[in-house]
């Protein structure tokens, strides 16, 4: 017996799913759980889980973890940050789970990936600048503007 393919979300829900996916893309380094992402879509977390998986072919957790690994690859290629610093910068809380997931998706360890890219030449962006830029960006978002700022 052949099972039916998973159903995709109805057109009106796709907008909400895209909003939640975009939110995960922008806030990948933050602590995001299923309930938080589902809240952005305005759907219960269980319904969101089913619709997201049927629509995008991966669970929200797998999507977020893949996005974090993609960003980690960028940082490992272009900065002089340590693997541990990259792990925490992209939102993983455990170096072990980061290394395991990275190896699973990329096919080599984070340190092996970084060594391979380091052989091509020095990193273009100093790690201290990456952290400064990230902190300055967050501070400007938190700084009040308008009449209440004075």
């Amino acid at each position: 017996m052949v099972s039916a393919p998973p159903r995709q979300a109805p057109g009106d829900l796709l907008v909400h799913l895209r909003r939640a996916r975009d939110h995960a893309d922008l806030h990948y380094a933050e602590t995001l759980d299923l309930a938080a992402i589902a809240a952005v879509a305005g759907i219960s977390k269980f319904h969101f889980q089913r619709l997201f998986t049927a629509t995008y072919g991966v669970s929200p957790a797998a999507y977020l973890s893949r996005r974090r690994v993609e960003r980690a690859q960028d940082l490992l290629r272009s900065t002089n940050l340590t693997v541990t610093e990259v792990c925490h910068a992209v939102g993983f809380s455990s170096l072990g789970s980061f290394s395991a997931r990275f190896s699973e998706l990329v096919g080599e360890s984070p340190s092996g990936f970084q060594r391979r890219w380091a052989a091509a030449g020095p990193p273009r962006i100093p790690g201290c600048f990456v952290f400064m830029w990230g902190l300055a960006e967050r501070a400007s978002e938190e700084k009040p503007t308008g009449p209440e700022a004075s």
Side-chain angles (χ1 to χ4, degrees):
M1 176 178 204
V2 177
S3 62
R7 292 182 27 201
Q8 284 195 324
D12 58 334
L13 285 175
L14 283 176
V15 173
H16 300 289
L17 290 175
R18 282 189 203 117
R19 183 181 312 127
R21 186 191 63 193
D22 291 346
H23 180 79
D25 287 344
L26 290 171
H27 301 280
Y28 65 88
E30 298 172 13
T31 303
L32 292 175
D33 61 5
L34 181 62
I37 300 172
V40 172
I43 305 170
S44 81
K45 66 182 183 179
F46 303 109
H47 191 53
F48 175 77
Q49 171 83 30
R50 284 189 300 274
L51 289 174
F52 190 98
T53 303
T55 302
Y56 296 112
V58 294
S59 70
Y63 179 84
L64 181 60
S65 135
R66 185 177 296 161
R67 182 52 105 193
R68 288 174 171 166
V69 167
E70 289 170 359
R71 182 63 180 132
Q73 285 179 287
D74 291 339
L75 291 173
L76 290 169
R77 264 192 299 262
S78 61
T79 69
N80 63 353
L81 297 173
T82 67
V83 172
T84 303
E85 290 170 329
V86 169
C87 164
H88 294 293
V90 298
F92 280 92
S93 57
S94 161
L95 183 59
S97 61
F98 167 68
S99 295
R101 186 67 174 148
F102 189 98
S103 298
E104 178 185 330
L105 292 174
V106 178
E108 65 183 315
S109 70
S111 55
F113 181 88
Q114 187 177 43
R115 267 193 306 277
R116 186 167 52 85
W117 280 93
R124 297 180 302 263
I125 305 168
C128 60
F129 183 76
V130 172
F131 284 124
M132 258 184 7
W133 181 65
L135 293 174
E137 184 178 288
R138 276 189 233 119
S140 67
E141 290 173 359
E142 295 171 0
K143 192 179 289 183
T145 58
E148 67 276 359
S150 40

